[in-house]
Amino acid sequence: MTSQEPDPQPAGLAQHPRPQSKTDLFVSFSILALQGFGGVLAIVQRELVEKKRWLTQEEFLEDWAVAQILPGPNVVNLSLMIGDRYFGWRGAFAALAGMLTFPLVVVLAVAALFGGIADTAAAQGALRGMGAVAAGLITATGIKLIGTLKNNVMGLAVCWGFAVLSFVAIALLRLPLVWVLLSVGGLACIWAYRQLDSARQTQGTP
């Protein structure tokens, strides 16, 4: 991978900084991946939105929503989407390589070391502590992103309604995620489509 002049800004995207090359993608996603122990959502949002400003909060939410419903790890899907957006399939593979190369080496090394101490109280306590930290990071990021809901085409009240419905379905009723995605997610998609169509008709665009 060598540095090169970036392609023109893709149409439809807000004008903001963007990856300068495929090498930039590889290095950036490598650094991101090496920080993401469990609660990767917080790291991804901070790196891509707050530090590098490759995405606005609204764009991040839209891309993350798509990444969540695709098969595979969310952040890997997101890296493929961003890489492909700016440099086509080569950018997608550069971002994917950044996400997987160094973490794979680290995971293999840690797995080899952990095998000998997995049953100790210190190791078990460390795992429980990391789980709590990851949950806290994800919760904090979710709270930080709530403000962007006011600009969502579905409307703030409807967004909250779907959020509550999803929480009840998953946390209280213990319904399988796939059925929640197909039912609640499907209703949200239909409502968003209707709202977008209504907005287009109001603006007089085809």
Side-chain angles (χ1 to χ4, degrees):
M1 284 176 290
T2 57
S3 298
Q4 63 182 46
E5 290 297 323
D7 296 336
Q9 187 89 341
L13 285 181
Q15 296 298 313
H16 50 60
R18 49 162 296 170
Q20 295 303 304
S21 64
K22 293 185 282 294
T23 301
D24 187 16
L25 275 173
F26 177 81
V27 173
S28 297
F29 278 103
S30 293
I31 295 172
L32 187 156
L34 289 172
Q35 300 176 70
F37 286 86
V40 71
L41 172 60
I43 306 299
V44 174
Q45 190 273 339
R46 186 187 67 198
E47 291 292 325
L48 299 184
V49 178
E50 299 179 9
K51 287 189 175 180
K52 294 187 175 297
R53 300 185 184 281
W54 288 352
L55 301 171
T56 64
Q57 292 278 35
E58 290 77 11
E59 290 170 349
F60 176 76
L61 281 179
E62 292 171 0
D63 287 353
W64 189 256
V66 175
Q68 282 188 307
I69 62 173
L70 293 174
N74 303 337
V75 69
V76 171
N77 295 336
L78 183 66
S79 68
L80 287 168
M81 291 163 62
I82 293 176
D84 177 72
R85 180 174 302 159
Y86 291 106
F87 297 101
W89 66 270
R90 292 182 177 84
F93 277 101
L96 180 64
M99 283 299 306
L100 299 181
T101 302
F102 293 113
L104 178 62
V105 173
V106 172
V107 166
L108 291 176
V110 171
L113 294 173
F114 188 71
I117 60 171
D119 295 330
T120 64
Q124 294 298 319
L127 287 177
R128 285 193 291 271
M130 284 189 281
V133 170
L137 286 171
I138 293 172
T139 302
T141 303
I143 293 173
K144 187 185 300 183
L145 295 175
I146 284 176
T148 61
L149 290 180
K150 65 178 182 296
N151 299 322
N152 192 283
V153 68
M154 294 194 299
L156 181 60
V158 175
C159 288
W160 275 110
F162 280 119
V164 171
L165 200 56
S166 300
F167 176 81
V168 171
I170 294 173
L172 302 182
L173 301 180
R174 304 287 184 179
L175 297 178
L177 179 60
V178 63
W179 293 116
V180 178
L181 283 174
L182 291 174
S183 56
V184 181
L187 286 173
C189 288
I190 292 172
W191 179 256
Y193 179 81
R194 288 172 58 88
Q195 292 298 100
L196 287 170
D197 188 52
S198 177
R200 281 195 295 268
Q201 291 180 7
T202 302
Q203 296 171 0
T205 55

